[in-house]
Amino acid sequence: MFTHPKTGMTVLSEGECWELLGGAHVARLAAVVGDELEVFPINVVVDGHTVVFRTAEGTKLAAATMARQVVIEADDHDRGTGLAWSVVLKGVAERVDDFNRIYQLEELALVPWDERPKQWFVQVTPRQISGRRFAAAV
Amino acid sequence: MFTHPKTGMTVLSEGECWELLGGAHVARLAAVVGDELEVFPINVVVDGHTVVFRTAEGTKLAAATMARQVVIEADDHDRGTGLAWSVVLKGVAERVDDFNRIYQLEELALVPWDERPKQWFVQVTPRQISGRRFAAAV
């Protein structure tokens, strides 16, 4: 953890980033597919040092697994303390096809953001995770 | 407004999208700069049919104004009704350099997401806005 003396912005450690992301539930997935940049809300769980979300066939699945890189962002703020945080994870997304792995993932508390049937798990392996905490005026 | 009979997902009208985005305050900016996809939390206000946010010199400003296209995403959910919404706006971001325009924007209730000094306004002109409302299990 490092707090910038001028801006008051705190750079979070990798451990803090994972902890915040693990508690976030709701996050956003950004991915470039072809020429198009897409952003979707997703429900996430942290499994080891990977992020898993569930999705049906469709744009979100295609975007995640076709993209060369994806970004997952989660943030929140506490009106009580006036502090906000944001964690950004950059990595590669893969559809989980192995049945044993799917059974394991079913055990995770993976609550879908919407209640439509979600047939696929997508697992994002990070190449970079970063986060910051700062005073929020919201 | 159109509700999909199978999924229960409601496609929002453009008017509803602007209304939700206008009340959101907190949103995320996604932009591709060079080979890198970046996502930042931002505080937004809707000004006409454009979105304005304030930022200091730095990565966020560079990413927004150098990118060919940007995406702004806002979402929220209501634990009471169990309904969530997400609005995605795709467009082009430009730094506001005209002083009269800057004075106008200063009048907007533009609360910064963090309290560091923010010297620049960035205005995003949309080429597309879309949104949906759906049952959320969070």
Side-chain angles (χ1 to χ4, degrees):
Chain A
M1 205 175 92
F2 168 77
T3 301
H4 195 284
K6 198 169 164 190
T7 63
M9 194 259 286
T10 299
V11 175
L12 301 175
S13 71
E14 201 178 310
E16 288 170 304
C17 290
W18 282 111
E19 198 177 323
L20 287 166
L21 193 57
H25 305 305
V26 176
R28 290 104 210 148
L29 172 80
V32 179
V33 182
D35 273 350
E36 205 68 24
L37 173 53
E38 306 285 354
V39 181
F40 309 94
I42 51 173
N43 269 95
V44 291
V45 288
V46 166
D47 180 40
H49 274 192
T50 69
V51 174
V52 177
F53 66 93
R54 200 158 54 161
T55 188
E57 286 284 2
T59 318
K60 203 184 292 187
L61 179 64
T65 54
M66 285 169 67
R68 199 177 51 79
Q69 62 171 347
V70 301
V71 174
I72 290 175
E73 190 268 356
D75 57 61
D76 204 2
H77 62 275
D78 185 324
R79 283 176 197 272
T81 63
L83 286 176
W85 60 264
S86 169
V87 168
V88 172
L89 179 149
K90 297 180 179 184
V92 175
E94 281 179 303
R95 201 181 72 186
V96 178
D97 287 323
D98 178 76
F99 279 115
N100 289 328
R101 185 79 187 107
I102 288 170
Y103 294 140
Q104 285 170 8
L105 292 172
E106 296 270 355
E107 299 294 312
L108 292 172
L110 199 59
V111 182
W113 171 258
D114 62 76
E115 287 171 340
R116 285 179 294 162
K118 304 283 188 193
Q119 288 100 347
W120 296 104
F121 288 104
V122 177
Q123 185 156 31
V124 179
T125 306
R127 62 174 172 82
Q128 184 188 312
I129 186 168
S130 62
R132 57 196 187 104
R133 184 178 281 123
F134 42 87
V138 285
Chain B
M1 205 175 92
F2 167 77
T3 301
H4 195 285
K6 198 168 164 191
T7 63
M9 195 259 289
T10 299
V11 176
L12 302 175
S13 71
E14 201 178 309
E16 289 171 304
C17 289
W18 282 111
E19 197 178 323
L20 288 165
L21 194 57
H25 305 304
V26 176
R28 291 103 211 148
L29 172 80
V32 178
V33 183
D35 274 349
E36 205 68 24
L37 172 53
E38 306 285 354
V39 181
F40 309 95
I42 51 173
N43 269 95
V44 292
V45 289
V46 166
D47 181 39
H49 274 193
T50 70
V51 174
V52 177
F53 66 93
R54 200 158 55 160
T55 187
E57 287 283 3
T59 317
K60 202 184 294 187
L61 179 64
T65 55
M66 287 170 65
R68 198 177 52 78
Q69 63 171 348
V70 300
V71 174
I72 290 175
E73 191 268 356
D75 57 60
D76 204 1
H77 61 276
D78 184 325
R79 282 176 197 272
T81 63
L83 286 176
W85 59 265
S86 170
V87 169
V88 172
L89 180 151
K90 297 179 179 184
V92 174
E94 280 179 302
R95 201 181 71 186
V96 178
D97 287 324
D98 178 76
F99 278 115
N100 288 329
R101 185 78 187 110
I102 289 171
Y103 294 140
Q104 285 170 9
L105 293 172
E106 296 269 355
E107 299 294 312
L108 293 172
L110 199 59
V111 183
W113 170 260
D114 63 75
E115 286 171 339
R116 284 178 294 160
K118 303 282 189 197
Q119 288 100 346
W120 297 104
F121 287 104
V122 178
Q123 186 156 29
V124 179
T125 305
R127 62 173 173 85
Q128 184 188 312
I129 186 167
S130 62
R132 56 199 188 104
R133 185 178 281 120
F134 41 88
V138 285

